[in-house]
Amino acid sequence: MMPTFNPSHFLSYCQSLYEADSTYDSEQSNRLDRHRHVEPDAAQFLANIATIRQPKKVLEIGTSTGFSTLWLAYGLRHQAECDFISLDIDKNRSEAAHQHLQNTGLSASVRLIVQDALIFLNDNTDVFDLVFLDAERQYYFDYIEGLYKALDVGSVLIVDNVISHRDEVSEFLAAFINNRRYLCHTLDIGAGLFMAVRQEP
């Protein structure tokens, strides 16, 4: 029997998950083997944005094992209707995320898709109210046109690691900063969050 959602259980579960995965990551010499979750304050910020924005369609690019996915689902939990898609190219990590969502009673609120993000964005015809990007940074520039299509007036794009890895994402961020359709801010939260809000069609 799947557990029902309990806020106290959720908070303690997320704390334990973050601590366990931080320990795991510290033992991995290969960066690609690490789970590389968002920092807890960044995850909580995502939950706050989801609660305030009340998006009907949400896209997360980079599920990993689901820490940010849990917090986005937490922020969306009071909405009667929301289509939340989380993408990852790694099946094993997506399955781990599914288990964490089940353990916290949130699995019904997320569609986990195992697919390359570029393929998804190129094929996508939907508009998302909220997009969170936390994947392999060397591919971000390839996502720009797909993200433009996926965002409309009022849509919010949030990108992680923009302070900790500023040089790796600067060209990608410039595509939004220099586009007059977007108002952009860099927030000193976690490893640095970039937020672009589309203002014009």
Side-chain angles (χ1 to χ4, degrees), residues 5-7 10 47 50-51 71-80 82 105-106 109:
F5 179 79
N6 178 284
F10 173 84
T51 302
W71 279 98
L72 282 165
Y74 175 74
L76 298 167
R77 70 194 184 281
H78 295 304
Q79 289 187 227
C82 179
L106 292 169
S109 61

Side-chain angles (χ1 to χ4, degrees), residues 113-198:
I113 297 178
V114 179
Q115 187 176 23
D116 182 276
L118 184 59
I119 293 173
F120 178 90
L121 289 170
N122 285 343
D123 293 342
N124 173 63
T125 58
D126 290 333
V127 169
F128 294 90
D129 303 305
L130 174 62
V131 177
F132 177 55
L133 175 58
D134 184 20
E136 292 301 315
R137 292 176 292 276
Q138 67 265 35
Y139 302 119
Y140 282 12
F141 199 79
D142 297 332
Y143 299 162
I144 290 171
E145 290 305 319
L147 288 170
Y148 282 165
K149 289 191 304 178
L151 300 167
D152 205 347
V153 175
S155 294
V156 181
L157 169 68
I158 299 177
V159 186
D160 192 31
N161 296 307
V162 302
I163 294 177
S164 62
H165 296 79
R166 188 187 311 270
D167 293 343
E168 295 179 33
V169 297
S170 59
E171 189 177 9
F172 168 80
L173 299 185
F176 290 89
I177 293 169
N178 297 328
N179 187 321
R180 294 183 179 180
R181 291 179 296 179
Y182 297 89
L183 287 181
C184 304
H185 299 275
T186 296
L187 308 172
D188 189 8
I189 299 173
L193 295 176
F194 175 81
M195 185 163 64
V197 181
R198 185 157 175 176

Side-chain angles (χ1 to χ4, degrees), residues 8-110:
S8 296
H9 170 68
F10 173 84
L11 295 173
S12 62
Y13 188 94
C14 285
Q15 181 177 348
S16 296
L17 175 61
Y18 183 80
E19 291 171 355
D21 277 1
S22 294
T23 299
Y24 172 86
D25 283 0
S26 70
E27 296 169 349
Q28 308 307 310
S29 57
N30 185 342
R31 184 185 69 85
L32 295 177
D33 291 334
R34 300 169 191 155
H35 294 163
R36 293 169 288 155
H37 293 316
V38 298
E39 298 296 325
D41 55 346
Q44 292 166 24
F45 178 82
L46 291 174
N48 284 337
I49 290 295
T51 302
I52 295 166
R53 178 66 180 81
Q54 298 187 346
K56 298 299 183 185
K57 292 188 73 67
V58 177
L59 174 65
E60 177 180 45
I61 301 176
T63 310
S64 186
T65 55
F67 187 70
S68 55
T69 316
L70 286 167
W71 279 98
L72 282 165
Y74 175 74
L76 298 167
R77 70 194 184 281
H78 295 304
Q79 289 187 227
E81 294 183 10
C82 179
D83 184 16
F84 175 17
I85 296 171
S86 185
L87 295 176
D88 204 282
I89 200 169
D90 188 316
K91 182 180 178 181
N92 291 332
R93 294 189 179 200
S94 186
E95 289 175 348
H98 177 68
Q99 187 61 58
H100 294 314
L101 288 161
Q102 279 196 321
N103 292 346
T104 54
L106 292 169
S107 61
S109 61
V110 187

